[in-house]
Amino acid sequence: MGKLVVIEGLDGAGKRTLAGALTEALTARGRAVASGAFPRYDEDVHAELVRDALHGRLGDLTDSVHGMAVLYALDRRGAADRIRRQLAEHDVVLLDRYIASNAAYGAARLRQRADGDFVGWVRALEVDRFGLPTPDLQLLLRVPTAVAAERAARRESSERRERDLYESDDDLQSRCATVYDELAAAHWLSPWEVLDGAADVGVTALLDRHFTR
Ligand SMILES: Nc1ncnc2c1ncn2[C@@H]1O[C@H](COP(=O)(O)OP(=O)(O)O)[C@@H](O)[C@H]1O
Ligand SMILES: Cc1cn([C@H]2C[C@H](O)[C@@H](COP(=O)(O)OP(=O)(O)O)O2)c(=O)[nH]c1=O
């Protein structure tokens, strides 16, 4: 049975970049790695609807924090069997965002903290009701909100990719950073490790800490 490892953090924190580096380093050590990212924009109708909502194309649906969270959760529900299969066949399944993204962004939108009702509601929906596999380890890639915003803006211009409603809301990102810190401190759903994304993450040392057999 493989380990389910999740990378979490703000938009522009460097999650995708770290996922690539970790996959490469684990593969070089001979581990079988499956990787994925949520939302699955090009694979799942709920994720497609998320994209529409984040670009203001679904009217007042975007205003509903719980409605948005249900769409993200249904995307993951549709991937649950595949994740379970991947865990059976690989040493590591590495995901760029998972259940904690719903907890952090939703709580931040509602101005709640990690010990508030919303985070409990996400756990009840995704873990208890949908039966999603829980992570073995969550990595919080922590960067100052200004750095994340600057990276997201740079990516916007280099990839001609328009920033969405959450990405362009600096106050939301900064509240979200607080909830992430609290989720990590509480080891919500799994052990967490906080990585300094503004410095060298130190992939080799990370592997030595968590992936020695
Ligand atoms: N450690 C880093 N130092 C500087 N720039 C980085 C670093 N990691 C990622 N970036 C750049 O920041 C931008 C956002 O990174 P990305 O990995 O796409 O973030 P995320 O997946 O968290 O949104 C990209 O342009 C990427 O090249
Ligand atoms: C996966 C997930 C993302 N989100 C938020 C975080 C991001 O602001 C936004 C889009 O996800 P993101 O991974 O940033 O997609 P991309 O970088 O390809 O646009 O959705 C949730 O609120 N809940 C979730 O379950």
Short mmCIF file of all heavy atoms in Angstrom, two decimals, residues 5-36:
data_model
loop_
_atom_site.label_atom_id
_atom_site.label_comp_id
_atom_site.label_asym_id
_atom_site.label_seq_id
_atom_site.Cartn_x
_atom_site.Cartn_y
_atom_site.Cartn_z
N VAL A 5 0.34 11.38 -0.30
CA VAL A 5 1.03 12.61 0.11
C VAL A 5 0.42 13.79 -0.63
O VAL A 5 0.24 13.75 -1.85
CB VAL A 5 2.54 12.52 -0.20
CG1 VAL A 5 3.26 13.79 0.20
CG2 VAL A 5 3.15 11.32 0.51
N VAL A 6 0.06 14.82 0.13
CA VAL A 6 -0.65 15.96 -0.44
C VAL A 6 0.18 17.23 -0.27
O VAL A 6 0.76 17.44 0.80
CB VAL A 6 -2.01 16.12 0.29
CG1 VAL A 6 -2.70 17.40 -0.15
CG2 VAL A 6 -2.90 14.91 0.06
N ILE A 7 0.23 18.03 -1.31
CA ILE A 7 0.88 19.35 -1.20
C ILE A 7 -0.22 20.41 -1.15
O ILE A 7 -1.10 20.44 -2.01
CB ILE A 7 1.80 19.63 -2.41
CG1 ILE A 7 2.84 18.53 -2.54
CG2 ILE A 7 2.47 21.00 -2.26
CD1 ILE A 7 3.71 18.66 -3.78
N GLU A 8 -0.17 21.24 -0.12
CA GLU A 8 -1.16 22.30 0.03
C GLU A 8 -0.47 23.66 0.11
O GLU A 8 0.72 23.74 0.43
CB GLU A 8 -1.98 22.09 1.33
CG GLU A 8 -2.92 20.89 1.31
CD GLU A 8 -4.18 21.13 0.45
OE1 GLU A 8 -4.40 22.28 0.00
OE2 GLU A 8 -4.93 20.17 0.23
N GLY A 9 -1.20 24.71 -0.17
CA GLY A 9 -0.65 26.06 -0.05
C GLY A 9 -1.45 27.03 -0.90
O GLY A 9 -2.34 26.64 -1.65
N LEU A 10 -1.08 28.30 -0.79
CA LEU A 10 -1.80 29.35 -1.51
C LEU A 10 -1.57 29.25 -3.01
O LEU A 10 -0.63 28.59 -3.46
CB LEU A 10 -1.29 30.73 -1.06
CG LEU A 10 -1.48 31.08 0.42
CD1 LEU A 10 -0.93 32.48 0.69
CD2 LEU A 10 -2.95 31.00 0.82
N ASP A 11 -2.41 29.94 -3.75
CA ASP A 11 -2.22 30.05 -5.20
C ASP A 11 -0.88 30.73 -5.45
O ASP A 11 -0.62 31.80 -4.90
CB ASP A 11 -3.35 30.90 -5.79
CG ASP A 11 -4.70 30.22 -5.61
OD1 ASP A 11 -4.93 29.22 -6.27
OD2 ASP A 11 -5.49 30.68 -4.76
N GLY A 12 -0.03 30.10 -6.25
CA GLY A 12 1.27 30.70 -6.54
C GLY A 12 2.35 30.32 -5.55
O GLY A 12 3.49 30.77 -5.66
N ALA A 13 2.02 29.46 -4.57
CA ALA A 13 3.02 29.09 -3.56
C ALA A 13 4.18 28.29 -4.17
O ALA A 13 5.29 28.29 -3.65
CB ALA A 13 2.37 28.26 -2.45
N GLY A 14 3.88 27.59 -5.26
CA GLY A 14 4.91 26.74 -5.88
C GLY A 14 4.59 25.26 -5.76
O GLY A 14 5.49 24.42 -5.88
N LYS A 15 3.32 24.93 -5.55
CA LYS A 15 2.92 23.53 -5.35
C LYS A 15 3.23 22.66 -6.57
O LYS A 15 3.78 21.58 -6.45
CB LYS A 15 1.40 23.43 -5.05
CG LYS A 15 0.99 24.11 -3.76
CD LYS A 15 -0.49 24.02 -3.53
CE LYS A 15 -1.33 24.70 -4.59
NZ LYS A 15 -1.08 26.14 -4.77
N ARG A 16 2.85 23.17 -7.74
CA ARG A 16 3.06 22.38 -8.95
C ARG A 16 4.55 22.14 -9.19
O ARG A 16 4.97 21.05 -9.57
CB ARG A 16 2.42 23.12 -10.15
CG ARG A 16 2.38 22.30 -11.41
CD ARG A 16 1.59 23.00 -12.49
NE ARG A 16 2.12 24.33 -12.78
CZ ARG A 16 1.66 25.12 -13.76
NH1 ARG A 16 0.66 24.74 -14.52
NH2 ARG A 16 2.19 26.30 -13.97
N THR A 17 5.34 23.18 -8.94
CA THR A 17 6.80 23.08 -9.11
C THR A 17 7.38 22.04 -8.14
O THR A 17 8.19 21.20 -8.53
CB THR A 17 7.44 24.46 -8.87
OG1 THR A 17 6.75 25.41 -9.69
CG2 THR A 17 8.92 24.47 -9.19
N LEU A 18 6.93 22.10 -6.88
CA LEU A 18 7.41 21.14 -5.88
C LEU A 18 6.96 19.72 -6.23
O LEU A 18 7.74 18.76 -6.08
CB LEU A 18 6.91 21.52 -4.48
CG LEU A 18 7.27 20.54 -3.37
CD1 LEU A 18 8.78 20.45 -3.17
CD2 LEU A 18 6.61 20.95 -2.04
N ALA A 19 5.73 19.57 -6.71
CA ALA A 19 5.23 18.23 -7.08
C ALA A 19 6.12 17.63 -8.16
O ALA A 19 6.48 16.45 -8.10
CB ALA A 19 3.78 18.32 -7.55
N GLY A 20 6.53 18.45 -9.12
CA GLY A 20 7.41 17.98 -10.19
C GLY A 20 8.75 17.56 -9.63
O GLY A 20 9.28 16.48 -9.96
N ALA A 21 9.32 18.37 -8.73
CA ALA A 21 10.64 18.07 -8.17
C ALA A 21 10.59 16.80 -7.31
O ALA A 21 11.49 15.96 -7.34
CB ALA A 21 11.14 19.25 -7.34
N LEU A 22 9.52 16.67 -6.52
CA LEU A 22 9.38 15.48 -5.66
C LEU A 22 9.21 14.22 -6.49
O LEU A 22 9.79 13.17 -6.18
CB LEU A 22 8.16 15.64 -4.74
CG LEU A 22 8.37 16.33 -3.40
CD1 LEU A 22 7.06 16.41 -2.64
CD2 LEU A 22 9.40 15.55 -2.58
N THR A 23 8.39 14.32 -7.54
CA THR A 23 8.17 13.15 -8.40
C THR A 23 9.49 12.70 -9.02
O THR A 23 9.83 11.51 -9.02
CB THR A 23 7.15 13.50 -9.52
OG1 THR A 23 5.94 13.92 -8.90
CG2 THR A 23 6.86 12.31 -10.41
N GLU A 24 10.25 13.68 -9.49
CA GLU A 24 11.53 13.37 -10.13
C GLU A 24 12.49 12.71 -9.12
O GLU A 24 13.10 11.68 -9.41
CB GLU A 24 12.13 14.66 -10.67
CG GLU A 24 13.20 14.47 -11.70
CD GLU A 24 13.67 15.82 -12.23
OE1 GLU A 24 12.81 16.64 -12.63
OE2 GLU A 24 14.88 16.06 -12.20
N ALA A 25 12.56 13.30 -7.92
CA ALA A 25 13.51 12.79 -6.92
C ALA A 25 13.10 11.40 -6.43
O ALA A 25 13.94 10.52 -6.23
CB ALA A 25 13.61 13.76 -5.75
N LEU A 26 11.80 11.19 -6.24
CA LEU A 26 11.33 9.87 -5.78
C LEU A 26 11.57 8.81 -6.86
O LEU A 26 11.99 7.70 -6.56
CB LEU A 26 9.83 9.93 -5.45
CG LEU A 26 9.48 10.55 -4.09
CD1 LEU A 26 8.00 10.94 -4.03
CD2 LEU A 26 9.81 9.58 -2.96
N THR A 27 11.31 9.20 -8.11
CA THR A 27 11.50 8.26 -9.21
C THR A 27 12.99 7.89 -9.31
O THR A 27 13.33 6.73 -9.52
CB THR A 27 11.00 8.88 -10.53
OG1 THR A 27 9.65 9.31 -10.33
CG2 THR A 27 11.02 7.88 -11.67
N ALA A 28 13.86 8.90 -9.11
CA ALA A 28 15.30 8.64 -9.17
C ALA A 28 15.72 7.67 -8.07
O ALA A 28 16.71 6.96 -8.21
CB ALA A 28 16.07 9.96 -9.04
N ARG A 29 14.99 7.65 -6.95
CA ARG A 29 15.28 6.69 -5.88
C ARG A 29 14.57 5.35 -6.09
O ARG A 29 14.50 4.52 -5.19
CB ARG A 29 14.86 7.26 -4.53
CG ARG A 29 15.75 8.37 -4.06
CD ARG A 29 15.45 8.73 -2.61
NE ARG A 29 16.28 9.83 -2.18
CZ ARG A 29 16.42 10.21 -0.92
NH1 ARG A 29 15.79 9.57 0.04
NH2 ARG A 29 17.19 11.22 -0.60
N GLY A 30 13.98 5.20 -7.26
CA GLY A 30 13.38 3.91 -7.59
C GLY A 30 11.96 3.70 -7.09
O GLY A 30 11.46 2.58 -7.08
N ARG A 31 11.29 4.77 -6.65
CA ARG A 31 9.92 4.62 -6.16
C ARG A 31 8.92 4.79 -7.29
O ARG A 31 9.14 5.64 -8.17
CB ARG A 31 9.59 5.66 -5.09
CG ARG A 31 10.52 5.69 -3.95
CD ARG A 31 10.48 4.36 -3.18
NE ARG A 31 11.71 4.18 -2.43
CZ ARG A 31 11.93 4.71 -1.24
NH1 ARG A 31 11.00 5.41 -0.66
NH2 ARG A 31 13.08 4.52 -0.63
N ALA A 32 7.86 4.01 -7.25
CA ALA A 32 6.78 4.18 -8.24
C ALA A 32 5.86 5.28 -7.74
O ALA A 32 5.29 5.18 -6.64
CB ALA A 32 6.02 2.87 -8.38
N VAL A 33 5.74 6.36 -8.53
CA VAL A 33 4.97 7.52 -8.11
C VAL A 33 3.82 7.77 -9.08
O VAL A 33 4.01 7.77 -10.30
CB VAL A 33 5.86 8.80 -8.09
CG1 VAL A 33 5.06 9.99 -7.58
CG2 VAL A 33 7.10 8.59 -7.26
N ALA A 34 2.63 7.99 -8.54
CA ALA A 34 1.50 8.46 -9.36
C ALA A 34 1.19 9.86 -8.87
O ALA A 34 1.20 10.12 -7.67
CB ALA A 34 0.29 7.56 -9.16
N SER A 35 0.96 10.79 -9.82
CA SER A 35 0.67 12.13 -9.34
C SER A 35 -0.63 12.64 -9.94
O SER A 35 -1.10 12.16 -10.97
CB SER A 35 1.82 13.07 -9.65
OG SER A 35 2.11 13.01 -11.01
N GLY A 36 -1.20 13.60 -9.26
CA GLY A 36 -2.47 14.17 -9.71
C GLY A 36 -2.66 15.55 -9.11
O GLY A 36 -1.86 15.97 -8.26
#
